[in-house]
Amino acid sequence: MSHAKRFPQSIYSLPSDNNRLTLGSVPRHEDPLLERLHRKQRLAAAYRLFARYGYEVGVAGHFTARDPIHPEQYWINPLGVPFSQITVSHLLRVDSNGQVVEGDGVLNTSALELHHDLQQARPEVVGIAHLHAFHGRVWSSLGRLFDPITAEAGAFEDDQVFFRRHDLRTAGGALEQDRDIVSRAFVETFAQHNLLIWQNHGLWVTGETVESAAWRFILAEDTARAHLLAHSAGTPSIPQAESPEGSRDKARHEFFGWLNFLPLWDLIRTEEPDLLD
């Protein structure tokens, strides 16, 4: 019996030769309706995983997926539905005016302009995730980026920025509250990076697929935990920067982010198949 029949894992459906993957880029659905369903299923699965990892704090946190049919719109979780209960049918489609055009539920309006403006500035971005996970929140209070103290942390080298929200003040010194000004500064700071550490608030990530964005957030939260533990134990060793020839290849990182999500997708879809409802 072949591996594909004995094991239902997604990776066995990918093209390979002599037990080695021959796929080097993320596959896409040519049918936009199938691509929409794909993104919604992975989005619901990511919320279930985030619940398992303890990333949920009250009604805080949001993960959006750009709609492939209406690229100026996105899918998001409804406010107040526990991440552990999110299903495909719960998801809301939101237009560029911040109005729900598909789905039933209460909309979390706390960061609509941030998701929308970032999507419009970066047409390659599909997934945008911001959860109030514990270690990322704590690390964000230190005013520092990640150092490449582990192989996993190295994934963020030259791909991270720090956003000092409290630097946005009016001429009189009061904290600027204008949403357009905050969103503009947020988008300009994020630029083309995939990780933004918002001071005293937590982590934001982007991805060219739902899968890569979800994996990137999981990896960033794990990296924040590793940094806090390492610094509490002593002074971590930081290797010298790589040569220019070893600079990061974004397409490669996107592919491996997508690939790393596959076993998590297989885990959650088999153990909690109701997420597909």
Side-chain angles (χ1 to χ4, degrees):
M1 185 179 294
S2 69
H3 283 301
K5 292 181 178 178
R6 289 172 52 205
F7 304 101
Q9 282 80 12
S10 298
I11 199 164
Y12 289 115
S13 66
L14 302 182
S16 61
D17 180 33
N18 228 6
N19 299 108
R20 294 176 182 271
L21 282 182
T22 56
L23 184 71
S25 60
V26 177
R28 306 276 185 174
H29 294 282
E30 292 185 7
D31 183 339
L33 288 174
L34 288 179
E35 180 63 23
R36 171 186 277 178
L37 179 60
H38 176 95
R39 294 182 187 185
K40 291 173 67 178
Q41 289 177 340
R42 272 59 180 180
L43 189 63
Y47 277 113
R48 294 290 185 104
L49 290 164
F50 293 161
R52 288 195 179 196
Y53 297 151
Y55 297 169
E56 187 173 17
V57 179
V59 296
H62 24 82
F63 184 11
T64 60
R66 186 193 297 270
D67 185 68
I69 299 174
H70 304 284
E72 76 285 359
Q73 301 178 0
Y74 57 77
W75 296 88
I76 191 172
N77 61 308
L79 186 72
V81 177
F83 289 178
S84 62
Q85 296 177 14
I86 290 287
T87 66
V88 169
S89 60
H90 277 120
L91 299 173
L92 308 176
R93 181 159 57 94
V94 180
D95 68 13
S96 57
N97 295 315
Q99 300 299 314
V100 175
V101 293
E102 186 173 348
D104 295 313
V106 179
L107 181 62
N108 184 347
T109 61
S110 65
L112 292 181
E113 70 285 349
L114 300 179
H115 285 267
H116 173 263
D117 292 352
L118 189 57
Q119 276 195 350
Q120 299 314 299
R122 297 176 58 183
E124 82 283 0
V125 165
V126 170
I128 304 173
H130 168 60
L131 293 308
H132 285 216
F134 178 76
H135 299 97
R137 282 186 289 136
V138 175
W139 180 256
S140 74
S141 70
L142 301 179
R144 298 178 55 180
L145 297 174
F146 293 143
D147 293 312
I149 61 173
T150 64
E152 289 76 16
F156 299 107
E157 195 169 12
D158 300 324
D159 198 28
Q160 56 180 326
V161 289
F162 200 86
F163 183 52
R164 293 175 171 81
R165 165 71 177 87
H166 297 294
D167 287 352
L168 300 177
R169 297 185 178 275
T170 65
L175 190 64
E176 183 61 72
Q177 299 297 334
D178 187 291
R179 286 193 172 192
D180 290 337
I181 292 176
V182 174
S183 183
R184 190 180 311 118
F186 169 80
V187 172
E188 290 176 353
T189 302
F190 222 136
Q192 297 303 308
H193 299 88
N194 282 312
L195 168 65
L196 178 141
I197 302 175
W198 186 315
Q199 187 170 23
N200 303 107
H201 191 71
L203 309 176
W204 284 75
V205 304
T206 59
E208 295 181 16
T209 64
V210 174
E211 294 94 329
S212 64
W215 172 252
R216 192 166 279 129
F217 191 91
I218 292 168
L219 191 63
E221 172 63 13
D222 181 77
T223 297
R225 179 172 180 264
H227 274 64
L228 291 168
L229 287 171
H231 284 284
S232 67
T235 303
S237 173
I238 302 175
Q240 293 184 347
E242 293 182 351
S243 63
E245 292 77 12
S247 59
R248 55 180 290 109
D249 180 339
K250 284 204 169 188
R252 181 171 174 271
H253 279 260
E254 281 297 319
F255 174 72
F256 280 103
W258 172 85
L259 191 66
N260 273 284
F261 187 79
L262 288 189
L264 301 180
W265 159 252
D266 288 333
L267 172 73
I268 203 72
R269 73 178 171 88
T270 53
E271 293 187 356
E272 301 181 29
D274 65 300
L275 73 88
L276 301 175
D277 293 345

Short mmCIF file of all heavy atoms in Angstrom, two decimals, residues 206-260:
data_model
loop_
_atom_site.label_atom_id
_atom_site.label_comp_id
_atom_site.label_asym_id
_atom_site.label_seq_id
_atom_site.Cartn_x
_atom_site.Cartn_y
_atom_site.Cartn_z
N THR A 206 2.53 39.24 8.43
CA THR A 206 1.86 39.13 7.14
C THR A 206 2.36 37.89 6.42
O THR A 206 3.40 37.32 6.78
CB THR A 206 2.13 40.36 6.25
OG1 THR A 206 3.55 40.48 6.04
CG2 THR A 206 1.61 41.63 6.88
N GLY A 207 1.62 37.48 5.39
CA GLY A 207 2.03 36.34 4.58
C GLY A 207 1.34 36.38 3.23
O GLY A 207 0.24 36.92 3.10
N GLU A 208 1.98 35.82 2.25
CA GLU A 208 1.40 35.77 0.90
C GLU A 208 0.39 34.64 0.76
O GLU A 208 -0.24 34.50 -0.29
CB GLU A 208 2.51 35.66 -0.14
CG GLU A 208 3.39 36.90 -0.19
CD GLU A 208 4.48 36.83 -1.24
OE1 GLU A 208 4.38 35.96 -2.16
OE2 GLU A 208 5.43 37.62 -1.16
N THR A 209 0.25 33.85 1.81
CA THR A 209 -0.82 32.85 1.92
C THR A 209 -1.34 32.90 3.35
O THR A 209 -0.66 33.42 4.25
CB THR A 209 -0.31 31.42 1.61
OG1 THR A 209 0.66 31.06 2.61
CG2 THR A 209 0.29 31.32 0.23
N VAL A 210 -2.52 32.36 3.56
CA VAL A 210 -3.04 32.23 4.92
C VAL A 210 -2.11 31.36 5.75
O VAL A 210 -1.79 31.64 6.91
CB VAL A 210 -4.46 31.64 4.91
CG1 VAL A 210 -4.95 31.38 6.33
CG2 VAL A 210 -5.42 32.57 4.18
N GLU A 211 -1.62 30.28 5.11
CA GLU A 211 -0.77 29.33 5.81
C GLU A 211 0.53 29.95 6.28
O GLU A 211 0.95 29.76 7.43
CB GLU A 211 -0.45 28.13 4.90
CG GLU A 211 -1.66 27.27 4.54
CD GLU A 211 -2.30 27.67 3.22
OE1 GLU A 211 -2.25 28.86 2.86
OE2 GLU A 211 -2.87 26.78 2.56
N SER A 212 1.19 30.71 5.40
CA SER A 212 2.49 31.30 5.79
C SER A 212 2.30 32.35 6.88
O SER A 212 3.14 32.48 7.78
CB SER A 212 3.21 31.89 4.58
OG SER A 212 2.49 32.97 4.02
N ALA A 213 1.20 33.11 6.82
CA ALA A 213 0.94 34.10 7.87
C ALA A 213 0.69 33.41 9.21
O ALA A 213 1.20 33.85 10.26
CB ALA A 213 -0.24 34.97 7.49
N ALA A 214 -0.10 32.33 9.20
CA ALA A 214 -0.38 31.61 10.44
C ALA A 214 0.88 31.02 11.03
O ALA A 214 1.15 31.16 12.24
CB ALA A 214 -1.40 30.50 10.18
N TRP A 215 1.68 30.35 10.20
CA TRP A 215 2.93 29.77 10.69
C TRP A 215 3.88 30.86 11.19
O TRP A 215 4.54 30.69 12.22
CB TRP A 215 3.61 28.95 9.61
CG TRP A 215 4.98 28.50 10.02
CD1 TRP A 215 6.19 28.94 9.56
CD2 TRP A 215 5.29 27.54 11.06
NE1 TRP A 215 7.22 28.33 10.22
CE2 TRP A 215 6.69 27.46 11.14
CE3 TRP A 215 4.51 26.75 11.89
CZ2 TRP A 215 7.35 26.61 12.04
CZ3 TRP A 215 5.15 25.90 12.79
CH2 TRP A 215 6.56 25.84 12.87
N ARG A 216 3.94 31.97 10.49
CA ARG A 216 4.84 33.06 10.88
C ARG A 216 4.47 33.60 12.26
O ARG A 216 5.34 33.94 13.07
CB ARG A 216 4.81 34.16 9.82
CG ARG A 216 5.91 35.19 9.95
CD ARG A 216 6.01 36.02 8.68
NE ARG A 216 6.77 35.34 7.65
CZ ARG A 216 6.36 35.15 6.40
NH1 ARG A 216 5.17 35.60 6.01
NH2 ARG A 216 7.12 34.54 5.53
N PHE A 217 3.16 33.70 12.54
CA PHE A 217 2.77 34.17 13.88
C PHE A 217 3.16 33.15 14.95
O PHE A 217 3.67 33.52 16.01
CB PHE A 217 1.28 34.47 13.97
CG PHE A 217 0.94 35.20 15.25
CD1 PHE A 217 0.94 36.57 15.29
CD2 PHE A 217 0.69 34.50 16.43
CE1 PHE A 217 0.70 37.25 16.47
CE2 PHE A 217 0.44 35.16 17.61
CZ PHE A 217 0.45 36.55 17.63
N ILE A 218 2.91 31.88 14.67
CA ILE A 218 3.29 30.84 15.63
C ILE A 218 4.79 30.89 15.90
O ILE A 218 5.25 30.81 17.04
CB ILE A 218 2.87 29.46 15.10
CG1 ILE A 218 1.34 29.34 15.07
CG2 ILE A 218 3.46 28.33 15.94
CD1 ILE A 218 0.82 28.16 14.29
N LEU A 219 5.57 31.05 14.83
CA LEU A 219 7.02 31.10 14.96
C LEU A 219 7.47 32.35 15.70
O LEU A 219 8.40 32.31 16.51
CB LEU A 219 7.67 31.05 13.57
CG LEU A 219 9.17 30.83 13.51
CD1 LEU A 219 9.54 29.46 14.10
CD2 LEU A 219 9.67 30.92 12.07
N ALA A 220 6.82 33.49 15.44
CA ALA A 220 7.18 34.73 16.11
C ALA A 220 6.88 34.65 17.61
O ALA A 220 7.68 35.11 18.44
CB ALA A 220 6.43 35.90 15.48
N GLU A 221 5.75 34.09 17.96
CA GLU A 221 5.42 33.95 19.39
C GLU A 221 6.40 33.00 20.08
O GLU A 221 6.85 33.26 21.20
CB GLU A 221 3.98 33.44 19.54
CG GLU A 221 3.57 33.07 20.95
CD GLU A 221 3.57 34.22 21.94
OE1 GLU A 221 3.66 35.39 21.51
OE2 GLU A 221 3.48 33.95 23.16
N ASP A 222 6.77 31.92 19.40
CA ASP A 222 7.77 30.99 19.93
C ASP A 222 9.12 31.68 20.08
O ASP A 222 9.84 31.46 21.07
CB ASP A 222 7.89 29.78 19.01
CG ASP A 222 8.89 28.76 19.52
OD1 ASP A 222 8.55 28.02 20.45
OD2 ASP A 222 10.02 28.71 18.98
N THR A 223 9.46 32.54 19.13
CA THR A 223 10.73 33.27 19.19
C THR A 223 10.73 34.26 20.35
O THR A 223 11.76 34.43 21.03
CB THR A 223 10.97 34.00 17.86
OG1 THR A 223 11.08 33.02 16.81
CG2 THR A 223 12.24 34.82 17.89
N ALA A 224 9.61 34.92 20.59
CA ALA A 224 9.51 35.83 21.73
C ALA A 224 9.72 35.07 23.04
O ALA A 224 10.42 35.54 23.94
CB ALA A 224 8.15 36.52 21.72
N ARG A 225 9.13 33.90 23.13
CA ARG A 225 9.30 33.07 24.34
C ARG A 225 10.75 32.68 24.51
O ARG A 225 11.31 32.76 25.62
CB ARG A 225 8.42 31.83 24.24
CG ARG A 225 8.51 30.88 25.42
CD ARG A 225 7.45 29.79 25.30
NE ARG A 225 7.53 28.86 26.41
CZ ARG A 225 8.19 27.71 26.38
NH1 ARG A 225 8.83 27.34 25.26
NH2 ARG A 225 8.23 26.91 27.42
N ALA A 226 11.41 32.26 23.42
CA ALA A 226 12.81 31.86 23.49
C ALA A 226 13.69 33.03 23.92
O ALA A 226 14.63 32.86 24.71
CB ALA A 226 13.27 31.33 22.13
N HIS A 227 13.40 34.23 23.42
CA HIS A 227 14.18 35.40 23.79
C HIS A 227 14.04 35.72 25.27
O HIS A 227 15.02 36.01 25.96
CB HIS A 227 13.76 36.61 22.95
CG HIS A 227 14.46 36.71 21.64
ND1 HIS A 227 14.34 35.77 20.65
CD2 HIS A 227 15.33 37.65 21.16
CE1 HIS A 227 15.08 36.12 19.62
NE2 HIS A 227 15.69 37.26 19.90
N LEU A 228 12.80 35.68 25.76
CA LEU A 228 12.58 35.98 27.17
C LEU A 228 13.29 34.97 28.07
O LEU A 228 13.91 35.34 29.08
CB LEU A 228 11.08 36.01 27.46
CG LEU A 228 10.31 37.18 26.83
CD1 LEU A 228 8.81 36.94 26.93
CD2 LEU A 228 10.69 38.50 27.49
N LEU A 229 13.22 33.70 27.72
CA LEU A 229 13.89 32.67 28.51
C LEU A 229 15.41 32.81 28.44
O LEU A 229 16.10 32.72 29.46
CB LEU A 229 13.48 31.28 28.01
CG LEU A 229 12.06 30.83 28.35
CD1 LEU A 229 11.71 29.55 27.61
CD2 LEU A 229 11.91 30.62 29.86
N ALA A 230 15.93 33.03 27.25
CA ALA A 230 17.38 33.14 27.09
C ALA A 230 17.93 34.33 27.86
O ALA A 230 18.96 34.23 28.54
CB ALA A 230 17.73 33.25 25.60
N HIS A 231 17.25 35.47 27.76
CA HIS A 231 17.74 36.67 28.44
C HIS A 231 17.58 36.57 29.95
O HIS A 231 18.37 37.17 30.70
CB HIS A 231 17.04 37.91 27.90
CG HIS A 231 17.53 38.36 26.55
ND1 HIS A 231 18.73 39.03 26.39
CD2 HIS A 231 17.01 38.21 25.31
CE1 HIS A 231 18.93 39.28 25.10
NE2 HIS A 231 17.91 38.79 24.43
N SER A 232 16.61 35.82 30.41
CA SER A 232 16.45 35.65 31.86
C SER A 232 17.52 34.71 32.42
O SER A 232 17.86 34.78 33.60
CB SER A 232 15.06 35.10 32.18
OG SER A 232 14.90 33.77 31.70
N ALA A 233 18.07 33.84 31.56
CA ALA A 233 19.08 32.88 32.00
C ALA A 233 20.50 33.43 31.89
O ALA A 233 21.41 32.94 32.56
CB ALA A 233 18.97 31.59 31.19
N GLY A 234 20.69 34.43 31.04
CA GLY A 234 22.04 34.96 30.86
C GLY A 234 22.10 35.87 29.66
O GLY A 234 21.13 36.55 29.32
N THR A 235 23.25 35.87 28.99
CA THR A 235 23.44 36.70 27.80
C THR A 235 23.57 35.78 26.59
O THR A 235 24.59 35.11 26.44
CB THR A 235 24.70 37.57 27.93
OG1 THR A 235 24.59 38.38 29.11
CG2 THR A 235 24.86 38.47 26.71
N PRO A 236 22.56 35.74 25.74
CA PRO A 236 22.62 34.83 24.59
C PRO A 236 23.74 35.22 23.62
O PRO A 236 24.04 36.40 23.45
CB PRO A 236 21.25 34.98 23.92
CG PRO A 236 20.43 35.80 24.83
CD PRO A 236 21.31 36.50 25.78
N SER A 237 24.32 34.22 23.00
CA SER A 237 25.32 34.45 21.97
C SER A 237 24.62 34.79 20.67
O SER A 237 23.68 34.11 20.26
CB SER A 237 26.18 33.20 21.78
OG SER A 237 27.05 33.35 20.68
N ILE A 238 25.07 35.87 20.03
CA ILE A 238 24.47 36.30 18.77
C ILE A 238 25.51 36.13 17.67
O ILE A 238 26.56 36.78 17.69
CB ILE A 238 24.02 37.77 18.84
CG1 ILE A 238 22.99 37.94 19.97
CG2 ILE A 238 23.42 38.21 17.50
CD1 ILE A 238 22.57 39.36 20.20
N PRO A 239 25.27 35.23 16.71
CA PRO A 239 26.25 34.99 15.65
C PRO A 239 26.42 36.20 14.75
O PRO A 239 25.55 37.07 14.69
CB PRO A 239 25.66 33.80 14.88
CG PRO A 239 24.19 33.89 15.15
CD PRO A 239 24.05 34.43 16.55
N GLN A 240 27.55 36.25 14.07
CA GLN A 240 27.80 37.33 13.14
C GLN A 240 26.81 37.25 11.98
O GLN A 240 26.33 36.18 11.62
CB GLN A 240 29.23 37.25 12.60
CG GLN A 240 30.29 37.54 13.66
CD GLN A 240 31.69 37.54 13.06
OE1 GLN A 240 31.89 37.10 11.93
NE2 GLN A 240 32.64 38.03 13.82
N ALA A 241 26.52 38.41 11.41
CA ALA A 241 25.58 38.46 10.30
C ALA A 241 26.11 37.67 9.12
O ALA A 241 27.32 37.56 8.91
CB ALA A 241 25.35 39.92 9.88
N GLU A 242 25.19 37.10 8.35
CA GLU A 242 25.57 36.34 7.17
C GLU A 242 26.13 37.26 6.09
O GLU A 242 25.89 38.47 6.10
CB GLU A 242 24.35 35.60 6.60
CG GLU A 242 23.83 34.50 7.51
CD GLU A 242 22.65 33.77 6.88
OE1 GLU A 242 22.17 34.25 5.84
OE2 GLU A 242 22.23 32.74 7.42
N SER A 243 26.85 36.68 5.17
CA SER A 243 27.36 37.44 4.04
C SER A 243 26.21 37.81 3.12
O SER A 243 25.14 37.20 3.18
CB SER A 243 28.38 36.61 3.26
OG SER A 243 27.76 35.46 2.72
N PRO A 244 26.37 38.82 2.26
CA PRO A 244 25.31 39.20 1.34
C PRO A 244 24.80 38.05 0.49
O PRO A 244 23.62 38.00 0.14
CB PRO A 244 25.97 40.27 0.47
CG PRO A 244 27.05 40.84 1.32
CD PRO A 244 27.55 39.68 2.16
N GLU A 245 25.70 37.07 0.19
CA GLU A 245 25.27 35.93 -0.61
C GLU A 245 24.22 35.09 0.11
O GLU A 245 23.47 34.34 -0.49
CB GLU A 245 26.47 35.05 -0.98
CG GLU A 245 27.45 35.70 -1.94
CD GLU A 245 28.35 36.72 -1.27
OE1 GLU A 245 28.37 36.76 -0.02
OE2 GLU A 245 29.02 37.49 -1.98
N GLY A 246 24.19 35.22 1.45
CA GLY A 246 23.25 34.43 2.22
C GLY A 246 22.00 35.20 2.59
O GLY A 246 21.28 34.79 3.49
N SER A 247 21.77 36.33 1.94
CA SER A 247 20.61 37.15 2.28
C SER A 247 19.32 36.38 2.03
O SER A 247 19.26 35.48 1.19
CB SER A 247 20.61 38.45 1.46
OG SER A 247 20.59 38.15 0.09
N ARG A 248 18.28 36.78 2.76
CA ARG A 248 17.04 36.01 2.74
C ARG A 248 16.36 36.05 1.36
O ARG A 248 16.39 37.07 0.66
CB ARG A 248 16.08 36.51 3.81
CG ARG A 248 15.75 37.99 3.76
CD ARG A 248 14.79 38.39 4.86
NE ARG A 248 13.49 37.83 4.61
CZ ARG A 248 12.96 36.84 5.31
NH1 ARG A 248 13.62 36.28 6.29
NH2 ARG A 248 11.76 36.38 5.05
N ASP A 249 15.79 34.94 1.00
CA ASP A 249 15.03 34.80 -0.23
C ASP A 249 13.55 34.75 0.18
O ASP A 249 13.09 33.76 0.74
CB ASP A 249 15.44 33.52 -0.95
CG ASP A 249 14.68 33.29 -2.24
OD1 ASP A 249 13.59 33.87 -2.40
OD2 ASP A 249 15.17 32.53 -3.08
N LYS A 250 12.82 35.83 -0.09
CA LYS A 250 11.45 35.91 0.40
C LYS A 250 10.55 34.82 -0.17
O LYS A 250 9.70 34.27 0.53
CB LYS A 250 10.86 37.29 0.10
CG LYS A 250 11.37 38.38 1.04
CD LYS A 250 10.40 39.54 1.10
CE LYS A 250 10.79 40.49 2.23
NZ LYS A 250 9.76 41.53 2.46
N ALA A 251 10.73 34.50 -1.45
CA ALA A 251 9.91 33.45 -2.06
C ALA A 251 10.15 32.12 -1.36
O ALA A 251 9.22 31.34 -1.11
CB ALA A 251 10.21 33.34 -3.54
N ARG A 252 11.39 31.85 -1.03
CA ARG A 252 11.74 30.61 -0.34
C ARG A 252 11.13 30.58 1.06
O ARG A 252 10.59 29.56 1.49
CB ARG A 252 13.26 30.47 -0.27
CG ARG A 252 13.77 29.20 0.40
CD ARG A 252 15.28 29.08 0.22
NE ARG A 252 15.83 27.96 0.95
CZ ARG A 252 16.26 28.02 2.21
NH1 ARG A 252 16.20 29.17 2.86
NH2 ARG A 252 16.75 26.96 2.81
N HIS A 253 11.20 31.69 1.76
CA HIS A 253 10.63 31.75 3.10
C HIS A 253 9.11 31.60 3.06
O HIS A 253 8.52 31.00 3.97
CB HIS A 253 11.04 33.05 3.79
CG HIS A 253 12.41 32.99 4.39
ND1 HIS A 253 12.63 32.77 5.73
CD2 HIS A 253 13.63 33.11 3.83
CE1 HIS A 253 13.92 32.76 5.97
NE2 HIS A 253 14.56 32.97 4.85
N GLU A 254 8.48 32.19 2.05
CA GLU A 254 7.03 32.03 1.91
C GLU A 254 6.67 30.56 1.70
O GLU A 254 5.73 30.04 2.30
CB GLU A 254 6.52 32.87 0.74
CG GLU A 254 6.35 34.33 1.05
CD GLU A 254 5.31 34.60 2.12
OE1 GLU A 254 4.25 33.94 2.12
OE2 GLU A 254 5.58 35.44 2.98
N PHE A 255 7.43 29.89 0.85
CA PHE A 255 7.16 28.48 0.58
C PHE A 255 7.32 27.64 1.84
O PHE A 255 6.45 26.81 2.16
CB PHE A 255 8.09 27.96 -0.52
CG PHE A 255 7.97 26.47 -0.75
CD1 PHE A 255 6.84 25.94 -1.36
CD2 PHE A 255 8.96 25.60 -0.33
CE1 PHE A 255 6.71 24.57 -1.56
CE2 PHE A 255 8.84 24.24 -0.52
CZ PHE A 255 7.71 23.72 -1.14
N PHE A 256 8.38 27.87 2.58
CA PHE A 256 8.60 27.06 3.77
C PHE A 256 7.62 27.41 4.89
O PHE A 256 7.28 26.56 5.71
CB PHE A 256 10.05 27.16 4.23
CG PHE A 256 10.97 26.27 3.45
CD1 PHE A 256 11.81 26.79 2.47
CD2 PHE A 256 10.98 24.90 3.63
CE1 PHE A 256 12.63 25.97 1.72
CE2 PHE A 256 11.79 24.06 2.89
CZ PHE A 256 12.63 24.60 1.92
N GLY A 257 7.16 28.66 4.92
CA GLY A 257 6.10 29.00 5.87
C GLY A 257 4.83 28.23 5.56
O GLY A 257 4.19 27.67 6.46
N TRP A 258 4.48 28.20 4.27
CA TRP A 258 3.31 27.43 3.82
C TRP A 258 3.50 25.95 4.13
O TRP A 258 2.58 25.28 4.64
CB TRP A 258 3.14 27.65 2.32
CG TRP A 258 2.10 26.80 1.66
CD1 TRP A 258 0.76 27.05 1.58
CD2 TRP A 258 2.32 25.56 0.98
NE1 TRP A 258 0.14 26.03 0.89
CE2 TRP A 258 1.07 25.10 0.51
CE3 TRP A 258 3.45 24.79 0.72
CZ2 TRP A 258 0.92 23.92 -0.20
CZ3 TRP A 258 3.31 23.61 0.01
CH2 TRP A 258 2.05 23.18 -0.44
N LEU A 259 4.68 25.42 3.86
CA LEU A 259 4.95 24.00 4.06
C LEU A 259 4.87 23.62 5.54
O LEU A 259 4.33 22.57 5.89
CB LEU A 259 6.33 23.66 3.51
CG LEU A 259 6.69 22.17 3.39
CD1 LEU A 259 5.80 21.49 2.36
CD2 LEU A 259 8.16 22.02 3.02
N ASN A 260 5.37 24.48 6.41
CA ASN A 260 5.35 24.18 7.84
C ASN A 260 3.94 24.16 8.42
O ASN A 260 3.70 23.55 9.46
CB ASN A 260 6.19 25.20 8.60
CG ASN A 260 7.65 24.80 8.68
OD1 ASN A 260 8.02 23.92 9.46
ND2 ASN A 260 8.49 25.43 7.87
#
